[in-house]
Amino acid sequence: MLRVGLTGGIASGKSEVSRRLAERGAVIVDADVLAREAVAPGSEGLAEVVGAFGPEVLTHDGELDRAALGAVVFADPARRETLNGIIHPRVRARAAQIVADAAAADPHAVVVQDIPLLVETGQAGSFDVVVVVDAPDDVRVARLRARNGMSEDEARSRMAAQATREERLAAAHHVIANTGSLAGLRVQVDRLWDDVLVPAAARAGA
């Protein structure tokens, strides 16, 4: 089995890379999906979040109000660390189980863990290969403004809560540049899959 860590800053295009890798046959472990599961209604994780941040982070239906919580944690690094301390251990435990199941099912599997905060949480050394999806900051700001309706200040605040572009690139074994077309992005992903990931997985499972 080959363990791949996939990361990229907000609006870098990481999700599109993850989708293409899934199409090529990778087992995807999506940290965002697992984080949502960790605070699902009725979960211990959600109860702990409410205990730390108050009932105002819930919707009328008892679900987590992500916008309300985001407004709090992106403005206060200490509170963001509190939230991470609740969610990250649960995400890692579930991810470890999925990885173990994939390895048992196929010794040649390519398991891609899609982790937005891979660098920030010090996990780069846990993977055989780290892939970073990269785009210049100004490009990402423009995407956030167009896609999410954010102001420039809001977009840059979200970006500032993550590692810098330079920090992510320093952790990368392979970089996928997402500044062109979707077709061009997929060509890069296919090349990475065919030339790097599949051969490495074959060696790892031999």
Side-chain angles (χ1 to χ4, degrees), residues 5-44:
L6 174 66
T7 194
I10 188 170
S12 64
K14 177 178 58 62
S15 295
E16 194 60 49
V17 171
S18 181
R19 276 191 288 272
R20 184 57 176 169
L21 287 168
E23 290 172 359
R24 294 304 309 270
V27 176
I28 303 295
V29 184
D30 189 326
D32 280 344
V33 171
L34 299 185
R36 286 192 289 273
E37 292 177 359
V39 291
S43 67
E44 292 181 2

Side-chain angles (χ1 to χ4, degrees), residues 139-152:
V139 171
R140 294 164 55 214
V141 167
R143 288 174 182 163
L144 285 170
R145 297 188 68 181
R147 184 185 76 189
N148 299 71
M150 292 182 182
S151 69
E152 180 163 350

Side-chain angles (χ1 to χ4, degrees), residues 119-132:
V119 172
E120 294 86 337
T121 52
Q123 297 182 70
S126 302
F127 297 95
D128 303 310
V129 178
V130 173
V131 177
V132 171

Side-chain angles (χ1 to χ4, degrees), residues 27-123:
V27 176
I28 303 295
V29 184
D30 189 326
D32 280 344
V33 171
L34 299 185
R36 286 192 289 273
E37 292 177 359
V39 291
S43 67
E44 292 181 2
L46 182 59
E48 197 169 337
V49 169
V50 173
F53 294 92
E56 58 269 24
V57 298
L58 290 177
T59 68
H60 294 303
D61 297 328
E63 296 185 358
L64 184 64
D65 186 334
R66 298 181 184 282
L69 182 60
V72 172
V73 300
F74 281 107
D76 186 335
R79 303 206 78 185
R80 189 162 64 248
E81 284 302 311
T82 297
L83 178 64
N84 289 344
I86 296 169
I87 293 179
H88 287 173
R90 291 175 166 84
V91 170
R92 289 187 186 185
R94 179 64 182 131
Q97 184 60 56
I98 296 172
V99 171
D101 290 345
D106 180 6
H108 298 102
V110 177
V111 179
V112 176
Q113 291 186 238
D114 181 339
I115 306 176
L117 301 180
L118 184 149
V119 172
E120 294 86 337
T121 52
Q123 297 182 70

